Short mmCIF file of all heavy atoms in Angstrom, two decimals:
data_model
loop_
_atom_site.label_atom_id
_atom_site.label_comp_id
_atom_site.label_asym_id
_atom_site.label_seq_id
_atom_site.Cartn_x
_atom_site.Cartn_y
_atom_site.Cartn_z
N PRO A 1186 -17.63 57.47 19.11
CA PRO A 1186 -18.27 57.69 17.81
C PRO A 1186 -17.73 56.72 16.76
O PRO A 1186 -16.54 56.50 16.66
CB PRO A 1186 -17.89 59.14 17.46
CG PRO A 1186 -16.74 59.48 18.33
CD PRO A 1186 -16.76 58.57 19.51
N LEU A 1187 -18.66 56.12 16.01
CA LEU A 1187 -18.30 55.22 14.92
C LEU A 1187 -19.14 55.57 13.69
O LEU A 1187 -20.36 55.75 13.81
CB LEU A 1187 -18.58 53.76 15.28
CG LEU A 1187 -17.69 53.08 16.30
CD1 LEU A 1187 -18.21 51.69 16.61
CD2 LEU A 1187 -16.26 52.99 15.80
N THR A 1188 -18.49 55.65 12.55
CA THR A 1188 -19.24 55.86 11.32
C THR A 1188 -19.95 54.55 10.96
O THR A 1188 -19.64 53.48 11.50
CB THR A 1188 -18.30 56.24 10.16
OG1 THR A 1188 -17.45 55.13 9.87
CG2 THR A 1188 -17.49 57.49 10.48
N THR A 1189 -20.87 54.63 10.03
CA THR A 1189 -21.57 53.44 9.56
C THR A 1189 -20.56 52.43 9.00
O THR A 1189 -20.62 51.23 9.31
CB THR A 1189 -22.61 53.80 8.49
OG1 THR A 1189 -23.58 54.67 9.10
CG2 THR A 1189 -23.30 52.58 7.95
N ALA A 1190 -19.60 52.89 8.20
CA ALA A 1190 -18.59 51.99 7.63
C ALA A 1190 -17.77 51.32 8.73
O ALA A 1190 -17.45 50.13 8.63
CB ALA A 1190 -17.68 52.76 6.68
N GLU A 1191 -17.44 52.05 9.78
CA GLU A 1191 -16.68 51.47 10.89
C GLU A 1191 -17.51 50.41 11.62
O GLU A 1191 -16.99 49.38 12.03
CB GLU A 1191 -16.23 52.56 11.87
CG GLU A 1191 -15.15 53.45 11.31
CD GLU A 1191 -14.88 54.68 12.16
OE1 GLU A 1191 -15.82 55.20 12.81
OE2 GLU A 1191 -13.72 55.12 12.17
N GLN A 1192 -18.82 50.67 11.77
CA GLN A 1192 -19.68 49.68 12.42
C GLN A 1192 -19.77 48.41 11.60
O GLN A 1192 -19.71 47.31 12.14
CB GLN A 1192 -21.07 50.26 12.68
CG GLN A 1192 -21.08 51.28 13.79
CD GLN A 1192 -22.47 51.53 14.32
OE1 GLN A 1192 -23.16 50.61 14.73
NE2 GLN A 1192 -22.86 52.80 14.31
N ILE A 1193 -19.90 48.55 10.29
CA ILE A 1193 -19.96 47.36 9.43
C ILE A 1193 -18.65 46.58 9.54
O ILE A 1193 -18.65 45.36 9.73
CB ILE A 1193 -20.25 47.74 7.96
CG1 ILE A 1193 -21.70 48.26 7.85
CG2 ILE A 1193 -20.04 46.55 7.03
CD1 ILE A 1193 -22.03 48.86 6.50
N ALA A 1194 -17.52 47.27 9.45
CA ALA A 1194 -16.22 46.60 9.52
C ALA A 1194 -16.01 45.90 10.86
O ALA A 1194 -15.46 44.80 10.94
CB ALA A 1194 -15.09 47.60 9.27
N LYS A 1195 -16.48 46.51 11.93
CA LYS A 1195 -16.23 45.99 13.28
C LYS A 1195 -17.24 44.93 13.72
O LYS A 1195 -16.88 44.01 14.44
CB LYS A 1195 -16.23 47.16 14.26
CG LYS A 1195 -15.78 46.81 15.65
CD LYS A 1195 -15.61 48.05 16.50
CE LYS A 1195 -15.08 47.68 17.87
NZ LYS A 1195 -14.81 48.84 18.71
N PHE A 1196 -18.50 45.06 13.29
CA PHE A 1196 -19.55 44.24 13.88
C PHE A 1196 -20.35 43.35 12.93
O PHE A 1196 -21.10 42.49 13.37
CB PHE A 1196 -20.57 45.12 14.62
CG PHE A 1196 -19.99 45.96 15.70
CD1 PHE A 1196 -20.09 47.33 15.65
CD2 PHE A 1196 -19.35 45.38 16.79
CE1 PHE A 1196 -19.58 48.12 16.67
CE2 PHE A 1196 -18.83 46.15 17.81
CZ PHE A 1196 -18.94 47.53 17.76
N ASP A 1197 -20.23 43.52 11.62
CA ASP A 1197 -21.13 42.82 10.69
C ASP A 1197 -21.03 41.31 10.75
O ASP A 1197 -22.01 40.61 10.62
CB ASP A 1197 -20.91 43.31 9.26
CG ASP A 1197 -22.03 42.90 8.32
OD1 ASP A 1197 -23.20 42.87 8.76
OD2 ASP A 1197 -21.75 42.62 7.15
N ARG A 1198 -19.86 40.76 10.94
CA ARG A 1198 -19.68 39.30 10.90
C ARG A 1198 -18.87 38.78 12.08
O ARG A 1198 -18.04 37.91 11.96
CB ARG A 1198 -19.01 38.90 9.59
CG ARG A 1198 -19.83 39.30 8.38
CD ARG A 1198 -19.27 38.73 7.10
NE ARG A 1198 -19.90 39.31 5.95
CZ ARG A 1198 -21.09 38.95 5.46
NH1 ARG A 1198 -21.78 38.02 6.03
NH2 ARG A 1198 -21.57 39.54 4.39
N VAL A 1199 -19.18 39.32 13.26
CA VAL A 1199 -18.35 38.97 14.41
C VAL A 1199 -18.86 37.78 15.22
O VAL A 1199 -18.07 37.10 15.85
CB VAL A 1199 -18.13 40.16 15.36
CG1 VAL A 1199 -17.32 41.23 14.68
CG2 VAL A 1199 -19.44 40.72 15.87
N TYR A 1200 -20.15 37.53 15.22
CA TYR A 1200 -20.70 36.47 16.05
C TYR A 1200 -21.52 35.50 15.20
O TYR A 1200 -22.02 35.85 14.15
CB TYR A 1200 -21.62 37.04 17.14
CG TYR A 1200 -20.92 37.94 18.12
CD1 TYR A 1200 -21.29 39.27 18.24
CD2 TYR A 1200 -19.89 37.47 18.93
CE1 TYR A 1200 -20.66 40.11 19.14
CE2 TYR A 1200 -19.26 38.30 19.83
CZ TYR A 1200 -19.64 39.62 19.93
OH TYR A 1200 -19.01 40.45 20.82
N ASN A 1201 -21.67 34.28 15.72
CA ASN A 1201 -22.59 33.33 15.11
C ASN A 1201 -24.00 33.77 15.46
O ASN A 1201 -24.31 34.03 16.62
CB ASN A 1201 -22.36 31.92 15.67
CG ASN A 1201 -21.23 31.20 14.99
OD1 ASN A 1201 -21.04 31.33 13.79
ND2 ASN A 1201 -20.47 30.44 15.76
N TRP A 1202 -24.85 33.85 14.46
CA TRP A 1202 -26.24 34.24 14.70
C TRP A 1202 -27.10 33.61 13.62
O TRP A 1202 -26.64 33.21 12.58
CB TRP A 1202 -26.40 35.77 14.67
CG TRP A 1202 -26.06 36.37 13.34
CD1 TRP A 1202 -24.81 36.73 12.90
CD2 TRP A 1202 -26.95 36.66 12.25
NE1 TRP A 1202 -24.89 37.22 11.62
CE2 TRP A 1202 -26.19 37.20 11.19
CE3 TRP A 1202 -28.33 36.52 12.07
CZ2 TRP A 1202 -26.75 37.59 9.99
CZ3 TRP A 1202 -28.89 36.91 10.87
CH2 TRP A 1202 -28.10 37.45 9.84
N HIS A 1203 -28.39 33.54 13.93
CA HIS A 1203 -29.36 33.13 12.92
C HIS A 1203 -30.72 33.66 13.32
O HIS A 1203 -30.98 33.98 14.48
CB HIS A 1203 -29.37 31.62 12.70
CG HIS A 1203 -29.70 30.82 13.92
ND1 HIS A 1203 -30.98 30.46 14.24
CD2 HIS A 1203 -28.92 30.30 14.88
CE1 HIS A 1203 -30.97 29.76 15.36
NE2 HIS A 1203 -29.73 29.65 15.77
#
Side-chain angles (χ1 to χ4, degrees):
L1187 288 175
T1188 66
T1189 298
E1191 289 170 329
Q1192 287 197 56
I1193 291 171
K1195 189 171 183 176
F1196 302 120
D1197 195 35
R1198 300 189 191 280
V1199 294
Y1200 298 118
N1201 278 322
W1202 63 275
H1203 60 91

